[in-house]
Amino acid sequence: MCGDRAQRILMAIMLGLSMYLFVTGQIQFGVLLQTFIIIMILIFAFTNFCPSLWFFNKVFGKCKWNEKSEES
């Protein structure tokens, strides 16, 4: 597990939770969560800084996408 992958998994979980909140009728909480996700993505787009990505890279380390794995 690496930071980028953990951040993407967290984003998928949060979007799924938001969808669940919409389906169960808790629309206000769903909208709040969706708004938070949108604001965080916009911050990342404009500043190239994502707090969750920074945190996960510190905890899990950066992904090494360009290095060949030892398995292949």
Side-chain angles (χ1 to χ4, degrees), residues 1-65:
M1 181 69 68
C2 60
D4 292 314
R5 199 167 278 160
Q7 192 263 349
R8 291 174 186 161
I9 291 170
L10 176 68
M11 188 183 304
I13 290 170
M14 290 184 66
L15 288 171
L17 178 62
S18 175
M19 186 182 302
Y20 172 78
L21 291 171
F22 276 112
V23 169
T24 58
Q26 300 175 11
I27 295 174
Q28 290 177 334
F29 293 117
V31 169
L32 286 173
L33 185 57
Q34 282 272 334
T35 304
F36 173 74
I37 295 168
I38 291 168
I39 289 170
M40 294 306 290
I41 292 172
L42 287 173
I43 289 171
F44 187 35
F46 288 119
T47 65
N48 202 23
F49 173 73
C50 179
S52 64
L53 189 57
W54 172 82
F55 175 76
F56 285 132
N57 281 337
K58 293 284 184 190
V59 173
F60 296 112
K62 292 189 177 196
C63 292
K64 299 173 183 168
W65 301 110

